[in-house]
Amino acid sequence: MHRRRPVIKYHEAAAFFRPGDDSIYLPNLDQFESSGEYYSAAFHELTHWTGGRGRLERREIIEYRQEKEYRSLEELTAEMGAAFLCRMCALDSPETFENQAAYVQSWLKVFKGDKKIVMQASKQARAAVEFILSGQKAIKAEAGAIATA
């Protein structure tokens, strides 16, 4: 039951992605301080969804509950993906940006300042956004490959 399009269901109190039924759950818009905050949460969960089986298959979402490092990297990826999408949709208000930055900072503590983790999460977030926009995995260019005609 791994879909190529997300299924979004209502939840009365929380936003989350549930791998078990491969669905995103969101509360009503009126539960958020602004529409920007609502879409930031929706984009965060949508980024989680891209990591599921049959899509980008990120180890961090598939094994989310196994290790704190997986969960932390996945949360960083999802929040960065949300930030990228908010920016693309002009929803990156100072309040939204501040909330996203605080969330990223809280998960970075797990990695004790390892700056490589930010690059990894950013790369995964970019791949997630590309998947959301195109419905396809990004094609990786081979290092040193030369195109021939």
Side-chain angles (χ1 to χ4, degrees), residues 6 35 37 47 54 61 74 77 81 83 85 87 90 103 110 116 118 120 124 130:
S35 59
E37 291 298 322
T47 302
I61 194 68
E74 179 61 26
T77 298
L85 289 163
R87 176 69 184 129
Y103 193 76
V110 172
K116 288 184 265 183
V118 173
Q120 185 176 352
Q124 290 180 174
E130 289 176 7

Side-chain angles (χ1 to χ4, degrees), residues 21-69:
D21 67 356
D22 199 32
S23 298
I24 295 168
Y25 290 81
L26 294 170
N28 287 330
L29 176 62
D30 64 4
Q31 303 238 182
F32 293 84
E33 291 184 26
S34 69
S35 59
E37 291 298 322
Y38 173 83
Y39 285 105
S40 180
F43 292 156
H44 179 100
E45 301 312 329
L46 186 60
T47 302
H48 280 314
W49 173 84
T50 66
R53 296 190 193 280
R55 291 179 294 276
L56 299 179
E57 301 190 19
R58 281 191 307 277
R59 178 179 178 183
E60 294 81 14
I61 194 68
I62 294 168
E63 298 181 26
Y64 186 85
R65 303 233 181 264
Q66 301 304 314
E67 290 186 35
K68 189 174 187 177
E69 287 78 16

